[in-house]
Amino acid sequence: MQHQLTWLFVLAIVVACVAWTVTHEEVFREPREYCVNRSKAGKSIASRKFFYLFTCEYCFSHYVTIVVVAVTQFKLLIDDWRGYIIAGFALVYIANAYMSLFLFLRQLIKKEKTEIRHIEASEEESA
């Protein structure tokens, strides 16, 4: 059981990293902007939903999880097909907890940088 939990938390890092990078980071900005435009202006609902999947880290993490589970054949708790399903949902849950924590930390860092700039600017004005 401990072996499975270790794999769960490690594989969730992989899922979170890929999902966050594709849906938020600068390296994928152009494809993401294309997907955002197509998700808003697509002619069919299927087209709009398909392209939306590449703009939402939660949605995209499900597809990354499917690939990770297929490649690693990771099962959780049960040794048949049900283990894959349990592993998939558990990976999505843990990966999204990681991404939420990462977003929170990024916001804290950005807030601190803004406060530091404000303090430095007020010190320069008073000097």
Side-chain angles (χ1 to χ4, degrees):
M1 182 60 135
Q2 186 172 352
H3 182 71
Q4 286 184 344
L5 289 176
T6 301
W7 273 101
L8 172 66
F9 283 92
V10 170
L11 290 176
I13 293 170
V14 174
V15 171
C17 182
V18 172
W20 185 271
T21 301
V22 170
T23 59
H24 286 84
E25 297 302 329
E26 185 65 23
V27 69
F28 288 102
R29 182 174 51 85
E30 290 84 4
R32 186 174 50 255
E33 287 174 354
Y34 174 79
C35 290
V36 167
N37 291 336
R38 291 292 307 267
S39 72
K40 292 179 181 177
K43 299 213 185 286
S44 70
I45 190 166
S47 171
R48 290 191 304 271
K49 297 303 176 190
F50 173 77
F51 284 103
Y52 179 75
L53 296 176
F54 298 100
T55 65
C56 167
E57 73 269 6
Y58 176 75
C59 302
F60 193 64
S61 70
H62 284 78
Y63 293 96
V64 175
T65 296
I66 290 169
V67 171
V68 167
V69 167
V71 168
T72 63
Q73 297 184 354
F74 175 62
K75 298 175 204 164
L76 191 60
L77 301 177
I78 303 172
D79 243 0
D80 59 13
W81 62 270
R82 297 172 295 173
Y84 289 122
I85 293 172
I86 294 167
F89 285 112
L91 279 171
V92 168
Y93 181 83
I94 301 297
N96 279 282
Y98 286 159
M99 287 187 284
S100 295
L101 179 62
F102 183 67
L103 177 61
F104 177 73
L105 290 173
R106 282 182 70 165
Q107 289 174 338
L108 278 178
I109 292 168
K110 188 174 183 177
K111 179 182 175 189
E112 286 180 13
K113 285 181 179 179
T114 303
E115 289 173 354
I116 290 169
R117 273 188 250 130
H118 179 71
I119 291 168
E120 289 173 347
S122 63
E123 286 176 355
E124 287 176 7
E125 287 176 6
S126 63

